[in-house]
Amino acid sequence: MALSDRLLRRQPDEAERQSVFGEILDWMLMPLLLIWPLSVILIQGVANSIADDPYDKALAESALTIARLVTVSGGRVKVGLHPQARSVLHADESDTIYFQVLGFRNELVAGDLAIPWVDPPPAIVSEKVHFRDADIKGEEIRVAYLYIMPLPDQPPLLVQVAETRNKRSALASRIISGVTLPQFAIIPLAVLLVWVGLSRGVAPLNRLGSLIRRRLPTDLSPIPTAGVPEEVKPVIRAFNDMMARLEQNLQAQQRFIGDAAHQMRTPLTGLKMQTELALQETDPELMRASLRQIAESADRAAHLIGQLLTLARAEASHRKTHAIEQVDIEALARQATLEWVPAAMAKRIDLGFEGTGWPLQVSGNPLLLRELIVNLIDNAVKYTPEGGRITVRTRATDFAVLEVEDDGPGIPENERDLIFERFYRVLGNEAPGSGLGLAIVREIAELHRGSVQLKPGSEGRGTLAQAVFRRRRFTVSALLAQAPEKFQPTL
């Protein structure tokens, strides 16, 4: 599960408890607490190895001493071990010592039968001491053994000396306690030092938080990075960049509100004047003409308000406003073209549609995409003279392309970018309008990660408005599901 998903699943109070200090402290202490038991295990292994070394040497010397006392006479194996030497060999305050000498047929020649027998190695080296661990009656023992070959034509003799592990375990315990006991003081001291170090490390973050909290709500100036730790500077720069964008958005909103108020004042003033003139008229015909002008002004004001609301909706960032789904932009364009046929016929304009004949899917908001298409057609119908021609077309390349082409007066090249600004009108153009249509088109296109641009018409006349969007690819099965009639056989 991604980190963002885990954070979304947390309760609000749990999310508020998240702390950089706590996270760093956890990630520093958890490995320490995990490594400590492992270190104790490793120390125990090293201590056992260290404890084995001196006692293994003594055990090997005993085995070699007994081996030197082994003789063969008349085919019989004898061990010249004096009884007092045997008593000394068995005398040990901590451990029990065993020895064993086996003959040519693995028969016991001298010593203790309790020591387990061992298979000889593939290559026997005479008088080379080997070591192994075994047990006698459930008690662990350490065994030193070697092979001697007194006669070349006879099997080797086995000499073994063993002792219990009491001295070794006691030495290993002293080594372990000598190493681990200081850790009980070192680890709490290390935790304390880590705590102090982290507290000093996050102090700049606390000071930065206090500095931000003391700011006025209207203070959007950048936060200085002087004296800020290097690790925090990228966050400060990103925060300053966000504040700069926020200030730009606020300034744009203020300009928009000022421009909108100015644009709304004009039709409202006109409505008021026309209403006053109508109230002064006594001739029914003149009064009817004044009412028609009032109705037209009210329609223009309603259209302007609708465009302002559309522009505000396009700039909004609420998830419900921008619900994304798969939209067939060709079907939207075809439907919008049909709706504008009566308005085009009223001006004797030839309004046509050219499509691909296939679904042209893009990811977007259908209401906003329809508003984009309607604004492009509205502009074309508004600025195309009577008897002109308008073509709405869709094309499928690596992208989904929507074009609205007219043979009107066109737009000068130096004004093609300016015309996307809010309330901008081409000089000398007498057609009614608010200057918001193309601004709305650009906002919606950018919202859908697309682009829009104006070009000259295909015959050098008029204007070609082109909007380009990312296209969703179809598989054959999806095409069959979307347009099965395309694959029906003809009789």
Side-chain angles (χ1 to χ4, degrees):
M1 183 182 293
L3 177 61
S4 57
D5 295 334
R6 293 200 301 270
L7 290 175
L8 288 175
R9 290 176 180 271
R10 289 173 176 163
Q11 298 297 327
D13 57 341
E14 182 183 358
E16 291 176 0
R17 291 197 298 268
Q18 298 306 307
S19 165
V20 175
F21 182 90
E23 290 287 335
I24 297 175
L25 191 63
D26 289 345
W27 282 105
M28 292 187 70
L29 294 183
M30 280 194 299
L32 181 61
L33 296 177
L34 290 175
I35 291 173
W36 189 24
L38 295 177
S39 68
V40 172
I41 296 173
L42 293 176
I43 290 171
Q44 185 175 6
V46 173
N48 289 332
S49 177
I50 294 173
D52 280 339
D53 285 342
Y55 294 112
D56 281 351
K57 290 180 181 179
L59 204 61
E61 287 295 330
S62 299
L64 288 171
T65 301
I66 293 174
R68 294 188 187 102
L69 298 175
V70 176
T71 59
V72 178
S73 175
R76 295 184 61 185
V77 180
K78 297 180 180 180
V79 180
L81 191 62
H82 194 274
Q84 291 181 352
R86 295 189 182 205
S87 63
V88 171
L89 188 64
H90 286 87
D92 192 289
E93 295 181 356
S94 302
D95 290 299
T96 304
I97 303 203
Y98 307 89
F99 80 96
Q100 181 186 85
V101 179
L102 299 181
F104 295 119
R105 292 178 296 278
N106 293 328
E107 73 278 9
L108 180 66
V109 175
D112 304 289
L113 186 61
I115 301 178
W117 183 78
V118 61
D119 290 327
I124 297 176
V125 179
S126 181
E127 296 189 4
K128 180 181 179 181
V129 182
H130 305 275
F131 297 93
R132 77 180 193 276
D133 294 318
D135 66 87
I136 295 177
K137 298 179 181 179
E139 187 176 13
E140 293 184 356
I141 59 172
R142 181 71 169 173
V143 183
Y145 64 99
L146 58 92
Y147 295 90
I148 56 177
M149 303 179 68
L151 299 176
D153 56 345
Q154 292 293 333
L157 305 177
L158 175 61
V159 178
Q160 299 191 93
V161 179
E163 68 177 358
T164 54
R165 302 188 63 97
N166 296 331
K167 295 192 300 290
R168 300 166 188 262
S169 298
L171 179 58
S173 297
R174 290 197 300 271
I175 295 173
I176 293 172
S177 60
V179 174
T180 56
L181 285 179
Q183 293 181 359
F184 286 98
I186 292 173
I187 289 180
L189 180 61
V191 172
L192 179 61
L193 292 176
V194 168
W195 183 281
V196 173
L198 286 177
S199 299
R200 292 179 61 86
V202 300
L205 294 178
N206 295 330
R207 291 195 297 269
L208 182 62
S210 300
L211 176 63
I212 295 175
R213 283 193 296 270
R214 288 197 302 268
R215 286 194 164 204
L216 295 175
T218 56
D219 186 3
L220 300 178
S221 61
I223 298 173
T225 57
V228 175
E230 289 295 328
E231 294 79 8
V232 184
K233 285 184 179 179
V235 179
I236 300 301
R237 295 191 187 101
F239 185 79
N240 288 339
D241 183 59
M242 181 187 69
M243 297 293 283
R245 294 196 304 270
L246 178 60
E247 186 172 12
Q248 291 176 358
N249 289 337
L250 290 176
Q251 292 175 356
Q253 289 181 4
Q254 291 173 357
R255 290 195 303 270
F256 174 72
I257 292 172
D259 293 339
H262 173 73
Q263 293 293 326
M264 287 298 299
R265 192 179 296 114
T266 301
L268 291 177
T269 302
L271 279 172
K272 182 179 179 181
M273 292 178 58
Q274 291 164 5
T275 304
E276 291 175 351
L277 290 175
L279 291 174
Q280 296 175 3
E281 291 292 344
T282 56
D283 187 350
E285 290 297 329
L286 294 177
M287 185 179 295
R288 189 177 294 108
S290 297
L291 292 175
R292 280 196 298 269
Q293 290 179 355
I294 292 174
E296 292 174 359
S297 297
D299 289 340
R300 286 195 295 270
H303 181 67
L304 176 60
I305 293 172
Q307 286 190 317
L308 290 172
L309 291 175
T310 301
L311 188 58
R313 184 171 57 182
E315 291 180 336
S317 58
H318 197 277
R319 175 179 289 184
K320 292 182 179 179
T321 304
H322 291 161
I324 300 301
E325 59 186 76
Q326 296 301 322
V327 181
D328 184 359
I329 199 168
E330 178 161 323
L332 277 182
R334 182 184 293 108
Q335 181 183 3
T337 303
L338 290 174
E339 293 174 0
W340 276 88
V341 167
M345 293 179 63
K347 292 184 65 174
R348 295 186 294 109
I349 293 175
D350 180 12
L351 176 61
F353 177 79
E354 298 176 3
T356 64
W358 297 96
L360 194 56
Q361 296 275 2
V362 298
S363 297
N365 183 291
L367 295 178
L368 295 180
L369 288 174
R370 186 182 184 282
E371 193 68 29
L372 178 146
I373 299 170
V374 166
N375 275 279
L376 289 178
I377 300 176
D378 180 24
N379 271 7
V381 172
K382 189 179 298 180
Y383 298 111
T384 300
E386 292 189 4
R389 184 177 60 187
I390 299 174
T391 302
V392 180
R393 70 172 65 90
T394 55
R395 294 190 294 110
T397 61
D398 290 339
F399 300 90
V401 181
L402 169 71
E403 294 179 342
V404 178
E405 183 179 5
D406 63 65
D407 59 355
I411 300 172
E413 184 176 359
N414 59 346
E415 295 190 68
R416 287 176 191 158
D417 291 332
L418 297 175
I419 202 169
F420 288 103
E421 299 295 330
R422 299 168 183 173
F423 305 112
Y424 184 85
R425 301 289 305 278
V426 177
L427 294 177
N429 198 324
E430 299 299 330
S434 61
L436 285 175
L438 290 179
I440 293 172
V441 168
R442 183 179 64 178
E443 291 288 344
I444 296 175
E446 291 178 352
L447 177 66
H448 290 79
R449 294 185 295 178
S451 62
V452 61
Q453 57 181 329
L454 299 179
K455 301 178 180 179
S458 57
E459 298 179 359
R461 295 179 53 201
T463 302
L464 172 66
Q466 184 183 77
V468 180
F469 302 95
R470 293 185 180 183
R471 177 187 172 198
R472 180 192 176 196
R473 297 290 185 174
F474 274 99
T475 61
V476 174
S477 59
L479 286 172
L480 285 170
Q482 290 285 334
E485 68 280 357
K486 296 289 184 180
F487 293 93
Q488 296 296 326
T490 56
L491 300 177

